Amino acid sequence: MIKKNYLKFDKKDMQLLAIIALLVVVITFIFSVSMLPVYAESYTEIDYKNFDNTNVLDDLNSAENFDITQYPIDKKMDTFIVQNVVEYCYSYDETKRSNYAVYLYLYNPSLIEIDTTSYDNKVQLAVGYDSDGKPNNYEKFSLKFCSVSNDADHKFLFYKFKIVDKRSTSDNKTIAERVNSNARRYDISGIELLTNGSVLSTDYPVNKTYTFSGYAAGYGPDENAVESTLQCKAEKLTTLKLNVEHTFYRTLTSNKGADYQNQIDTVYFSVPKEYFDDYGKLQRIKAEWYEYKTKPIVVTSNQDFYNKALPYMGKYIGADYKSDIGYTIATSLYTFTWNRYYLIKPEDISNTGVCGTLYYIFPCDDIDNYDPYRDCTESGISDNDLYNYILTYTTTYENGKLPIKNGFISADLFEADIDDYRKVNNEAGKIDKGYCCYDFDADLDLKYLGTWQQSNPSFIDNVNKWGLFDTLFGNIPKEEAINLSPIVTFDYNDLLMGAEDLVNKYYINYDDVSDFKSYARTAQMKGEKVILFRFATSDYYNSQLYLQKGTAGAEKLGQAYLAQESVFLNFDIIQLTFLNKDKYTVIPVVSSPIDIVDGITPPVNIKPETKNILTIILTVLLLVFALIVIVRVIIWLVKALTNPPATPNTKSKSNKKEYRYQRRK
């Protein structure tokens, strides 16, 4: 029989345990209090007008419930934590709100240095509520840097920012006009901060609802009150953190006509299944971005031309410009900004007067190796190369700078506008050049993408685009039109598909198939659903260019092509809307912005300079046939002119019979 041992405590032991338990409770309480909001009554001795300029550590140390020992330096915590939200000087009387503002105090355990001057430091707040009082619309607000702790022991440990109020695009109200005077509610899903040396900001979760009641001293109904009644309650806010990836797809043709392809830009991410179980299907996705269209991008496999043209990037090449490039690059099909580019010596321009400026030029390998069914970077330009070029271009700023990324991207690289058909302005949002924000609906925002055949091309049109040989032998790509839904859930059974089948079903880039499958498998193991969000369909334009040495009609050397595409900078998902029967639920999203610049691919109908043997044979046969026809026509005309028609026969019927009889004899 096994003897059991039981712990026994005497009276002294019980007293000691009680003391230890009490200490644990007290310590826990102290720590929790240190994380509570610091109320504005802590700052009543400060001049209200100067609160932007007060030091962050002075503010925090003046609060009774702040203990700096609870905020250690920890390099492993690579994040920012909103330690405090302060509502400052709110008044129910709008004439007394000149000093009103909301401030964020950030705890920075790993001492990350923030680019405090960046345009991209923002906070995401709720700006709309449903009938049940739940947030149903979110927007970004800029952050104004106020101060940072800079003493020797706490350098960069705390930051103070002010939320810059604005009028919302949804209700045209400011934060002060929107909040309820008795209970001012601030639903904060996340903050986006740009660290020094970074191009893109990082979104850090906040996930809190802060509700303030009462007033700071002198700002309530009793203007003579000397004590503050301000209180704050912090509650958890349901948010969703997303890891967003990007891919793109281009059709081979478009109903826009020659030299156009439909481009589909897609981001994909995974969502835990419980969101679908609790809230229903994913109905809408709200996102924001900055959209621009590149100026013409020239790609060439002629190294000599590239070497001579490169020093003239961003320079106007005109009749009076002393250029020694010695080449003309031209296309008769390009109809955007220039019909022709002249990069030749002034004496060879022949008084055409049509000149231009190149802002992009890239070298590539032999274009003859291009396969339109693959994203073949050896004859194209990778997305990274083009993206880095945009970020590092500093040659000209004649048209100013883009209003993002601290203004270092030259506007010269982009057209004055985007395509008109891309523009939208309705209750769901606005899409235009520059800042765009749109709430896409899975059922309402379907896109129709047509094909080359639907443009009703003539035989000549087909010959001009695809060449005589391909036209006669039916080698023109046959595509079906696409009815594209903006929101699609990936079927995990399709992980067994081959690469080409997956590309054709989901319209992703062939080179991204491996990464996409890996992403999907990871999401499947985590019990999440993968969502493909096709947020943009645009025109990809490209045309084969002809390099000529010297004057028109001279020998063609090498190959080149020209391309234009839309780019989407600082793309960010703001919120997801789920639908269960007739109930909508909006979940704010925490996801870091991404830049979307797709790679450049050559025209699908590009032709090698040396024609293949079949084309040569066919051309010779056609010429021989045409020559035979022409000779026969000439012979017929000569006979018709030299042998006039015989005089009509006026003999009687009997004479005709006699004549025929004689002929038979």
Side-chain angles (χ1 to χ4, degrees):
M1 185 174 180
I2 299 175
K3 185 177 180 179
K4 296 181 179 179
N5 293 320
Y6 296 93
L7 290 175
K8 294 183 179 180
F9 298 97
D10 57 20
K11 185 175 181 180
K12 291 183 179 180
D13 292 332
M14 294 297 295
Q15 290 175 342
L16 181 59
L17 288 172
I19 293 172
I20 294 173
L22 180 61
L23 287 174
V24 171
V25 171
V26 171
I27 292 172
T28 303
F29 176 76
I30 291 173
F31 182 79
S32 63
V33 167
S34 70
M35 298 301 291
L36 290 175
V38 178
Y39 305 142
E41 70 262 25
S42 303
Y43 314 120
T44 54
E45 74 280 3
I46 300 173
D47 183 355
Y48 287 124
K49 296 180 181 179
N50 297 326
F51 197 61
D52 281 11
N53 303 323
T54 60
N55 181 269
V56 59
L57 267 185
D58 292 342
D59 293 351
L60 293 173
N61 286 323
S62 67
E64 295 179 0
N65 58 358
F66 178 75
D67 181 1
I68 200 168
T69 63
Q70 300 298 324
Y71 300 91
I73 297 173
D74 187 350
K75 289 288 188 177
K76 295 179 181 179
M77 295 179 64
D78 188 18
T79 187
F80 286 89
I81 300 172
V82 175
Q83 188 273 339
N84 245 336
V85 174
V86 170
E87 181 195 71
Y88 192 72
C89 294
Y90 173 82
S91 174
Y92 69 93
D93 185 352
E94 62 183 48
T95 64
K96 298 180 180 180
R97 294 180 191 157
S98 59
N99 297 322
Y100 164 75
V102 178
Y103 295 86
L104 303 180
Y105 290 75
L106 308 183
Y107 166 43
N108 176 24
S110 58
L111 305 182
I112 304 171
E113 293 187 46
I114 299 175
D115 184 347
T116 55
T117 63
S118 174
Y119 307 158
D120 296 335
N121 294 329
K122 297 180 180 180
V123 61
Q124 186 163 296
L125 293 172
V127 295
Y129 298 86
D130 61 20
S131 58
D132 296 328
K134 296 181 179 180
N136 63 2
N137 197 13
Y138 286 81
E139 285 185 16
K140 301 277 182 63
F141 289 76
S142 296
L143 291 174
K144 175 188 175 183
F145 170 72
C146 295
S147 68
V148 61
S149 57
N150 55 15
D151 63 295
D153 295 331
H154 308 99
K155 192 174 182 64
F156 302 124
L157 189 60
F158 296 98
Y159 283 87
K160 175 183 175 183
F161 286 91
K162 175 183 178 180
I163 298 178
V164 180
D165 204 353
K166 66 172 184 177
R167 293 198 174 275
S168 167
T169 57
S170 59
D171 61 6
N172 199 35
K173 292 182 179 180
T174 63
I175 297 174
E177 293 169 342
R178 187 179 304 107
V179 296
N180 185 302
S181 61
N182 293 325
R184 283 88 62 194
R185 177 176 174 178
Y186 307 97
D187 297 89
I188 306 177
S189 59
I191 53 169
E192 293 179 0
L193 302 170
L194 185 72
T195 58
N196 282 340
S198 299
V199 175
L200 289 164
S201 59
T202 301
D203 201 353
Y204 300 94
V206 179
N207 308 341
K208 291 286 181 65
T209 296
Y210 299 90
T211 305
F212 288 83
S213 59
Y215 300 92
Y219 280 82
D222 183 3
E223 297 181 0
N224 297 318
V226 294
E227 293 186 2
S228 171
T229 60
L230 190 64
Q231 296 182 4
C232 177
K233 179 176 66 173
E235 299 175 298
K236 182 180 179 181
L237 176 68
T238 299
T239 62
L240 179 58
K241 185 172 179 59
L242 298 181
N243 176 24
V244 178
E245 300 290 344
H246 166 257
T247 186
F248 74 98
Y249 176 87
R250 288 184 182 132
T251 61
L252 299 180
T253 67
S254 168
N255 59 350
K256 293 290 193 302
D259 300 323
Y260 284 93
Q261 295 171 251
N262 297 307
Q263 178 171 299
I264 303 170
D265 278 281
T266 299
V267 295
Y268 56 92
F269 51 87
S270 60
V271 178
K273 289 182 179 178
E274 53 262 31
Y275 283 85
F276 300 92
D277 296 336
D278 295 341
Y279 307 121
K281 76 166 186 173
L282 181 56
Q283 185 65 33
R284 295 201 299 265
I285 301 177
K286 184 178 181 181
E288 68 174 12
W289 65 92
Y290 286 80
E291 181 168 339
Y292 301 95
K293 187 162 189 175
T294 66
K295 283 185 177 174
I297 299 167
V298 172
V299 182
T300 180
S301 58
N302 187 308
Q303 191 65 40
D304 181 57
F305 165 68
Y306 172 78
N307 292 338
K308 290 182 177 179
L310 190 61
Y312 294 91
M313 295 306 299
K315 296 180 180 179
Y316 179 77
I317 308 298
D320 56 348
Y321 196 89
K322 301 301 182 182
S323 167
D324 61 354
I325 297 176
Y327 285 94
T328 302
I329 54 175
T331 171
S332 60
L333 300 178
Y334 182 63
T335 58
F336 286 96
T337 305
W338 311 306
N339 286 330
R340 287 179 181 272
Y341 301 84
Y342 287 88
L343 297 176
I344 60 176
K345 294 179 181 179
E347 59 268 26
D348 293 331
I349 292 181
S350 304
N351 299 320
T352 59
V354 184
C355 303
T357 306
L358 285 178
Y359 291 97
Y360 301 85
I361 189 167
F362 292 92
C364 71
D365 293 333
D366 191 355
I367 296 175
D368 290 350
N369 294 329
Y370 172 63
D371 180 356
Y373 295 91
R374 301 285 189 273
D375 179 21
C376 186
T377 55
E378 67 180 9
S379 53
I381 303 302
S382 72
D383 50 359
N384 285 334
D385 287 344
L386 180 57
Y387 179 52
N388 290 333
Y389 182 92
I390 291 172
L391 294 181
T392 57
Y393 178 89
T394 57
T395 304
T396 62
Y397 292 92
E398 295 177 1
N399 295 306
K401 304 174 182 179
L402 301 189
I404 54 174
K405 302 186 185 303
N406 295 356
F408 66 79
I409 297 181
S410 173
D412 294 349
L413 298 175
F414 303 96
E415 295 285 12
D417 206 352
I418 62 174
D419 295 332
D420 284 339
Y421 86 95
R422 283 282 304 151
K423 299 179 181 180
V424 179
N425 190 1
N426 56 36
E427 65 278 2
K430 185 176 182 180
I431 298 175
D432 207 334
K433 179 196 172 187
Y435 180 73
C436 304
C437 186
Y438 196 83
D439 198 1
F440 293 81
D441 189 289
D443 299 328
L444 300 179
D445 292 299
L446 301 174
K447 295 295 182 182
Y448 178 82
L449 304 179
T451 66
W452 166 255
Q453 286 80 4
Q454 291 177 311
S455 64
N456 296 319
S458 65
F459 178 81
I460 299 301
D461 292 333
N462 284 326
V463 170
N464 288 336
K465 179 170 177 59
W466 306 104
L468 179 61
F469 179 79
D470 288 339
T471 299
L472 291 177
F473 287 87
N475 292 333
I476 299 175
K478 294 179 175 59
E479 294 184 302
E480 294 183 0
I482 299 174
N483 285 308
L484 193 72
S485 174
I487 303 172
V488 170
T489 301
F490 180 69
D491 185 347
Y492 285 124
N493 292 323
D494 292 338
L495 285 172
L496 300 176
M497 279 185 170
E500 291 190 9
D501 291 335
L502 199 68
V503 166
N504 293 331
K505 180 173 181 179
Y506 290 101
Y507 308 116
I508 64 177
N509 193 275
Y510 187 91
D511 283 357
D512 293 335
V513 169
S514 178
D515 290 341
F516 177 81
K517 283 189 172 183
S518 178
Y519 187 99
R521 290 189 185 100
T522 301
Q524 185 181 29
M525 289 187 294
K526 293 165 60 178
E528 299 180 348
K529 292 186 177 183
V530 174
I531 303 298
L532 293 100
F533 174 33
R534 292 84 168 258
F535 72 94
T537 58
S538 58
D539 291 335
Y540 178 69
Y541 175 86
N542 57 13
S543 176
Q544 185 172 9
L545 296 176
Y546 301 100
L547 290 180
Q548 293 179 335
K549 184 80 179 233
T551 58
E555 180 184 1
K556 295 178 182 177
L557 300 171
Q559 289 181 311
Y561 64 91
L562 173 149
Q564 277 187 295
E565 68 171 357
S566 296
V567 301
F568 314 92
L569 305 178
N570 283 18
F571 175 87
D572 196 11
I573 296 178
I574 295 176
Q575 66 190 35
L576 306 182
T577 300
F578 295 85
L579 176 61
N580 188 1
K581 296 181 180 179
D582 59 348
K583 180 177 177 58
Y584 290 93
T585 302
V586 175
I587 305 295
V589 166
V590 177
S591 70
S592 298
I594 61 175
D595 287 334
I596 297 174
V597 178
D598 298 330
I600 299 300
T601 50
V604 297
N605 61 317
I606 200 162
K607 301 299 179 187
E609 301 232 348
T610 303
K611 301 184 182 223
N612 60 55
I613 188 64
L614 291 177
T615 304
I616 295 174
I617 293 173
L618 179 62
T619 303
V620 171
L621 290 176
L622 288 175
L623 289 175
V624 171
F625 176 76
L627 183 61
I628 292 173
V629 171
I630 292 172
V631 170
R632 290 183 65 88
V633 170
I634 292 174
I635 293 173
W636 180 82
L637 288 174
V638 171
K639 286 183 177 181
L641 293 174
T642 57
N643 298 306
T647 303
N649 194 342
T650 57
K651 293 182 179 180
S652 64
K653 291 182 179 180
S654 59
N655 291 337
K656 288 181 180 180
K657 290 180 180 179
E658 181 180 353
Y659 172 75
R660 291 172 184 163
Y661 174 76
Q662 291 175 351
R663 293 270 297 179
R664 284 196 293 270
K665 290 179 65 178

